[in-house]
Amino acid sequence: MELKYAKSKSAIIGLAAVLVVVALAVYLAVRDGAGDPRTAMRAIAAADSKPAFAAASAVEGSYAHYRQQHDGAPSPGVEVIVQGSDYSAAQDMSPRTLTELGGERGEFVETGESGTIEWEVEVPATGLYHLAIRYYPVAGKSSAIERSLLIDGELPFDSARNLMFHRIWRNELDAIVQDNRGNDLRPRQIEAPRWQETFVRDAEGYYQEPYAFYLTEGRHTLSLVSLREPMAIEWIALRQSEAPPMYEELAAAYEAAGYQATSGQTIKVQGEDAIYKSSPTLYPTTDRSSPATEPYHVSKIRMNTIGGNNWRSPGQWIAWEVDVPEDGLYELAIKSRQELLRGTYSTRSLWIDGEIPFQEAATIPFFYHSDWQMSVPGDGQAPYLFYLTRGKHELKLEVTLGAIAPLLLEVEQSLLEINAMYRKILMITGNVPDPYRDYQLDKQIPDMVAVFREQSDILYAVSEELEQLTGEKSDKTAILNKTAYQLADMADRPQSVQQRLGQYKINAGSVGAWILEVREQPLEIDYLMLMSPDAKLPRADAATPRKLFHEASSFMYSFFEDYDTIGSASEEGEPVTVWIGTGRDQAQVLKAMIDDTFTPLTGIGVNLKLVSQDVLLRASLAGEGPDVALQVGNDAPVNFGMRSAAEDLSVYPGFDELMTQFRDSAFVPYRYDGKVFALPEQQIFNMLFYRKDILDELGLDVPQTWDDVYAMIPVLQKHHMELALPIAQTTGVPVLEVNRAYAMLLYQNGGEFYLNNGAKSGMDTQIGLDAFKQWADFYTSYKLPIIFDFPMRFRTGEMPIGIQDYTFYNYLTVSAPEIKGLWEFVPVPGLPQPDGSIRRDVASGGTAAIMLQQSTNKDAAWAFLKWWVSKDAQVRFGREMEGLMGAAARYPTANIEALRELPWPARDYESLEAQWAWVAGVPEVPGGYFTGRHLDNALREVLNNGTNTADALYDYVQEIDYEIAQKREEFNLDGVD
């Protein structure tokens, strides 16, 4: 019977395998088409690029407006050079004069990460000048260098506030290392600083040409204001940037010079072998979707591509070195894949030996396709030819917006106008307008209809232009058309506006998302080829039989290969088992740090596993847990410790010294009954975020005290705007944390959450009751919303001010480009003290690292924990995560010195430091999980049923005290009051 069942099962499996193979064969045959190896070759015509400053978005303060003001000004053909060491003044900075740097001798000036440095310059003739600078990226916090430029003490235009100067990065090792499972390890990126000459350009990529500055004849002052990172400067020059010739002119010059095409030459450079990059995010990546990717392995991970979604921001570049065998003319082929940007295309500028060879090479488009393509830049009729001499040359591809740039400028400015009009309407109708009331909005806002019609026309025009550029209609044009239609219809029927505000807001959000998507320009590269015109172009993808074999083999190996295990590069020492519960990227960064730092220093091997933290307690109780668990929630350590599952770390050598690296508040959630059950990794606390433009428009100052907040709320509400207080996450969390708004008010008034060593809640004291009433009054008396989408409402301006945890900064930096420079964050409001200071206490959350009590290798586990939370490890992990995933992944480390070393702009770090001094931890006690839950219940009792605040809180505190008493009895703790 068992034999018959086994045979039947084998037959079913065999039949299923055959069906899978047949289905794959049909699918791949259809997708592969005729399989002509030349079909992937496509000459790419460079798109025409309009002058961005001629766009209708030339609003006051923009660079477009600045250029229009000085339209027709001459461009003097003179050059003025000012040596960096000849600076005339410095404020809040102590510049250093250097005589040797970066392998060169001379006189240079090193500027700090904050402050201002000035130079006096004598301009010989009135006109427009480009500004060039020769700089060296001295050691800092591993982020891009940012400066503001002032001319005669004033900002020439808004975007001169954020000028970017890139650092240079490379792979740490020339060869890619493999782990003990035969998989390639992602190479670590390290700085490769060198002197660079660059023109001052738009950091957002909207303008292909360098900025042109208007200067009159005579003496002027040039000032660089440091926003982030130090750098050394050799000279600053006022000169003209020479535009490259058109390809037709260059081809004629080639023919006149007698340059001949080479024959039979093919030089291939793998994408992952790039010598330099502008960002540490541009590391080699892996692709297992095609057997034609080089290098290839059917089951192992191979670092065989570069770029992808990481290579999407304007200004990012990757450079390769090619060794040319003979002088002559070559074609360029790029095996690439652009599978992320549907409905438009990704654009790159080609630089050869530091110069763009001809104008068409400045905007090379790569169109959407899900498969690998062999792209050969050309004019649509024939490929472009490049003259190269024998020897080594540098090819560089830089992200640029190309012909999309003026369209983005138009839409971005249109969105600001749409949001501004939305706020004006909101000031009259409120958030929930009466659908049956005629607000006569067209009379109360006289320009409303005109604005709707103008912005509709702009969006329709952008949609048509985008369709012409891409040759198709898509979801990108659909978003613009939908919004334009609504605006036009509301202009025709202004009486319907109040009924359509919800959809109006949704459409505005969609346009904001459109800007984010179109502005990103992803591209993945397998390899580049310089080839003679008579050389055979290889096909980009594999033929159908090879694809079929690849898919079938991959399916088979998936039963044997474990892609979730993080392999090791070392087998040294007695291993420590460590669980990490975040993503694979974080695990791989940590594993690389362990292999090249921790294990060589200590001789201790580490077995790192990517495991969900949900199973940690169950695994520990079953005796299958790790030695160390990382990134566990604040509620876990004390709960583990009470159950004798977590080790008391305060008894280990070096603990007292280790504590000095953190603020005492970071240990509060992990300390109980004289024991400490965890070391802090992250500490997250609240800051006050506000829109500078809207507060200025309303004539409001940033509130410093709660009295200022009470005075501000009526002004906001008069204009139908609101202030946001933090609301605890109530869904998808195992334990509801205490509300941080209440915690902030409680701590600022000197209260505590627990009394008698955690035996009783402290919320029913007079301070606790008063803080609860103050908190509830924000919702009952001042009618603040309790449910809201703060990110969206902050962007639209409906909530121009709010208290959120400081990681919201990361979201705004990456996801809200339309309000860049229009917002700030500062310490929260507080209570004035007799000495004139303001008490600004806030509660904190975070994650921790624990050692399980069942560990059999506790000394090695302690050594690992000390290393992991140390300054050096936290700084490197934070920098590499930001390098890997961008500014959205900026790491909120709890280590004091480590946070100082992470790439925060100087001014923003000062605000963080000022608030961090007031951070207080929330203790964890037995039964404490009831505190957050019943605090939320008490608030809702007041809001929903109108119960007196003292009665509501007192009733729920009794429930909390009862649960605490039950748990203390369960764990035999001394809970006598």
Side-chain angles (χ1 to χ4, degrees), residues 634 638 665 667-672 738 747 752-754 758 920-925 928 931:
N634 275 4
V638 167
S665 58
F667 283 95
V668 169
Y670 319 132
R671 186 185 290 126
Y672 188 75
V738 297
Y747 283 146
E752 297 290 341
F753 273 100
Y754 304 103
V922 178
E924 292 288 338
V925 301
T931 300

Side-chain angles (χ1 to χ4, degrees), residues 891-917:
Y891 185 62
T893 179
N895 189 293
I896 298 171
E897 292 298 322
L899 188 70
R900 183 176 291 119
E901 294 297 319
L902 291 180
W904 286 96
R907 180 174 178 177
D908 294 335
Y909 175 76
E910 289 172 5
S911 295
L912 276 177
E913 180 71 17
Q915 183 62 75
W916 205 2

Side-chain angles (χ1 to χ4, degrees), residues 557-792:
Y557 275 104
S558 67
F559 292 99
F560 307 105
E561 288 286 348
D562 181 6
Y563 295 106
D564 292 326
T565 299
I566 309 298
S568 299
S570 172
E571 301 288 352
E572 296 184 40
E574 186 178 356
V576 174
T577 299
V578 177
W579 284 9
I580 182 171
T582 49
R584 186 176 182 86
D585 287 328
Q586 288 89 335
Q588 288 185 329
V589 168
L590 176 56
K591 188 58 185 174
M593 291 170 56
I594 291 169
D595 289 339
D596 65 31
T597 304
F598 176 71
T599 298
L601 285 175
T602 63
I604 300 171
V606 176
N607 181 18
L608 183 65
K609 294 184 177 181
L610 189 59
V611 180
S612 171
Q613 296 297 347
D614 295 340
V615 304
L616 181 59
L617 181 59
R618 295 193 294 271
S620 300
L621 294 175
E624 298 295 331
D627 296 302
V628 171
L630 304 182
Q631 298 179 349
V632 299
N634 275 4
D635 61 299
V638 167
N639 283 307
F640 274 53
M642 289 184 301
R643 292 169 171 80
S644 300
E647 188 76 5
D648 175 17
L649 303 178
S650 64
V651 300
Y652 284 84
F655 176 80
D656 291 338
E657 180 183 352
L658 188 67
M659 281 189 66
T660 62
Q661 299 182 40
F662 306 88
R663 297 188 184 273
D664 187 65
S665 58
F667 283 95
V668 169
Y670 319 132
R671 186 185 290 126
Y672 188 75
D673 198 23
K675 300 177 180 179
V676 178
F677 296 106
L679 297 180
E681 294 177 310
Q682 302 179 23
Q683 189 174 17
I684 303 171
F685 49 87
N686 286 338
M687 299 284 289
L688 179 70
F689 290 81
Y690 70 96
R691 286 280 299 269
K692 296 187 294 183
D693 56 334
I694 297 177
L695 263 59
D696 289 343
E697 182 182 320
L698 299 178
L700 294 171
D701 295 326
V702 179
Q704 299 300 316
T705 67
W706 291 109
D707 287 340
D708 295 339
V709 173
Y710 296 140
M712 169 182 278
I713 291 175
V715 178
L716 292 175
Q717 291 179 338
K718 178 183 177 182
H719 296 87
H720 296 288
M721 298 178 183
E722 291 164 334
L723 176 143
L725 288 180
I727 293 294
Q729 176 68 35
T730 58
T731 58
V733 291
V735 178
L736 184 64
E737 67 173 8
V738 297
N739 184 279
R740 294 199 189 171
Y742 174 76
M744 176 171 53
L745 297 171
L746 179 69
Y747 283 146
Q748 288 182 9
N749 284 280
E752 297 290 341
F753 273 100
Y754 304 103
L755 304 175
N756 303 336
N757 195 28
K760 183 185 184 309
S761 173
M763 294 192 299
D764 59 352
T765 62
Q766 190 59 48
I767 292 177
L769 293 171
D770 290 345
F772 183 75
K773 184 178 187 307
Q774 184 183 4
W775 179 42
D777 282 349
F778 279 113
Y779 303 105
T780 57
S781 300
Y782 291 93
K783 306 300 181 184
L784 295 189
I786 196 167
I787 298 175
F788 50 86
D789 180 0
F790 184 64
M792 177 56 71

Side-chain angles (χ1 to χ4, degrees), residues 324 326-330 352-353 386-390 393 530:
V324 177
E326 63 174 288
D327 296 356
L329 297 173
Y330 294 85
I352 299 179
D353 297 329
F386 303 87
Y387 179 75
L388 296 171
T389 58
R390 180 180 178 181
H393 296 268
L530 283 174

Side-chain angles (χ1 to χ4, degrees), residues 369-447:
H369 202 288
S370 59
D371 291 331
W372 289 99
Q373 301 292 300
M374 194 64 74
S375 302
V376 181
D379 60 6
Q381 303 297 322
Y384 295 133
L385 295 176
F386 303 87
Y387 179 75
L388 296 171
T389 58
R390 180 180 178 181
K392 293 184 177 180
H393 296 268
E394 182 181 279
L395 301 183
K396 183 174 77 174
L397 289 176
E398 180 179 350
V399 183
T400 182
L401 295 175
I404 299 295
L407 307 185
L408 274 168
L409 274 172
E410 293 282 8
V411 176
E412 191 169 297
Q413 182 55 39
S414 180
L415 180 60
L416 288 175
E417 294 289 338
I418 290 170
N419 282 336
M421 183 54 64
Y422 177 72
R423 291 196 300 272
K424 288 182 181 179
I425 296 170
L426 212 64
M427 290 177 187
I428 297 171
T429 66
N431 284 320
V432 187
D434 184 349
Y436 302 106
R437 176 182 172 186
D438 184 2
Y439 290 90
Q440 296 185 333
L441 292 172
D442 53 334
K443 295 181 180 178
Q444 296 200 59
I445 310 175
D447 64 337

Side-chain angles (χ1 to χ4, degrees), residues 469-487:
L469 287 172
T470 60
E472 63 177 1
K473 291 184 177 180
S474 66
D475 60 323
K476 299 296 185 295
T477 57
I479 291 171
L480 299 179
N481 289 335
K482 181 179 179 182
T483 306
Y485 172 80
Q486 186 193 37
L487 292 172

